[in-house]
């Protein structure tokens, strides 16, 4: 429906059927991108040359996306400038001020450090922690167990992911 013309051609559907077909790229076997030529990449999983993909399309690696896009979390996205939140990184110094390099859905990206009163609890490992990590507390703050008062007026709701560990100003 979205790819249909705004107004039908003068001759109707017959003209659409008789019009020159759009040339489809011939898929060729490959084992690296250079074998595919301009505008194509090698899908190494299937060993076939495929057209480069645009924003929002599925991908497995950067080379499958058109210029200016990168493959993040399985889709082609606009590149985030180095050092900014969400940009790829390898170590903390690749990120800007008050940020660290941590995993997000398995991809290492710049994330902001935790601020005052944000939860800083880190589980004892497991799949969730290895896929998604959090940064440590911002400079001058420490991750400590809160000594907040219990609020017994509220109904008790079990929330195992919420803990009382937060970023706090150290007691001097």
């Amino acid at each position: 429906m979205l790819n249909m013309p705004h107004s039908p051609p003068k001759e109707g559907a017959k003209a659409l059927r008789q019009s020159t077909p759009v040339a489809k790229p011939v898929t060729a076997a490959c084992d690296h991108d250079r074998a595919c030529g301009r505008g194509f990449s090698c899908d190494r999983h299937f060993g076939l040359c495929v057209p480069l993909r645009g924003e929002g399309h599925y991908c497995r690696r950067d080379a499958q996306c058109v210029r200016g896009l990168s493959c993040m979390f399985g889709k082609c996205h606009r590149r985030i400038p180095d050092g900014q939140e969400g940009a790829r990184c390898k170590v903390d110094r690749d990120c800007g001020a008050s940020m660290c390099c941590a995993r997000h859905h398995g991809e290492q990206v710049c994330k902001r450090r935790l601020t005052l009163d944000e939860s800083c609890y880190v589980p004892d490992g497991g799949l969730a922690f290895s896929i998604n990590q959090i940064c440590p507390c911002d400079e001058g703050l420490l991750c400590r167990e809160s000594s907040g008062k219990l609020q017994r007026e509220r109904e008790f709701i079990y929330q195992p992911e919420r803990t009382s560990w937060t970023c706090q100003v150290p007691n001097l």
Side-chain angles (χ1 to χ4, degrees):
M1 176 95 170
L2 295 175
N3 60 356
M4 294 184 68
H6 294 290
S7 58
K10 292 178 185 171
E11 292 86 23
K14 182 180 176 187
L16 285 175
R17 284 192 302 270
Q18 293 175 347
S19 64
T20 309
V22 176
K24 292 184 179 179
V26 178
T27 54
C30 62
D31 60 356
H32 55 78
D33 293 328
R34 288 187 305 270
C36 296
R38 190 180 196 107
F40 292 85
S41 70
C42 182
D43 185 324
R44 293 177 186 159
H45 182 76
F46 295 107
L48 296 173
C49 293
V50 295
L52 296 179
R53 297 172 173 131
E55 189 170 3
H57 290 260
Y58 292 110
C59 58
R60 290 191 179 98
R61 55 195 179 86
D62 289 347
Q64 291 182 318
C65 302
V66 296
R67 181 174 291 195
L69 301 182
S70 60
C71 187
M72 293 279 286
F73 316 121
K75 287 193 176 185
C76 294
H77 292 277
R78 292 178 195 260
R79 288 188 195 267
I80 299 171
D82 291 344
Q84 291 188 9
E85 188 172 357
R88 284 198 178 129
C89 58
K90 291 184 179 172
V91 293
D92 289 349
R93 69 176 172 269
D94 294 341
C95 303
S98 293
M99 286 194 268
C100 81
C101 187
R103 293 193 185 281
H104 185 76
H105 298 302
E107 185 96 42
Q108 285 195 249
V109 297
C110 294
K111 289 184 170 185
R112 63 180 182 76
R113 290 184 175 268
L114 302 175
T115 58
L116 186 65
D117 294 327
E118 279 191 289
S119 175
C120 55
Y121 175 75
V122 176
D124 292 332
L127 185 59
F129 176 70
S130 64
I131 292 175
N132 293 303
Q133 298 171 326
I134 60 172
C135 286
C137 297
D138 209 354
E139 198 158 326
L141 300 175
L142 295 175
C143 185
R144 293 196 171 157
E145 192 167 20
S146 300
S147 58
K149 298 176 184 174
L150 293 175
Q151 296 179 342
R152 299 187 188 274
E153 292 80 29
R154 292 186 186 172
E155 181 181 337
F156 175 75
I157 300 170
Y158 178 66
Q159 297 175 317
E161 70 281 354
R162 293 197 62 188
T163 67
S164 57
W165 287 83
T166 59
C167 293
Q168 301 173 20
V169 177
N171 299 336
L172 299 178

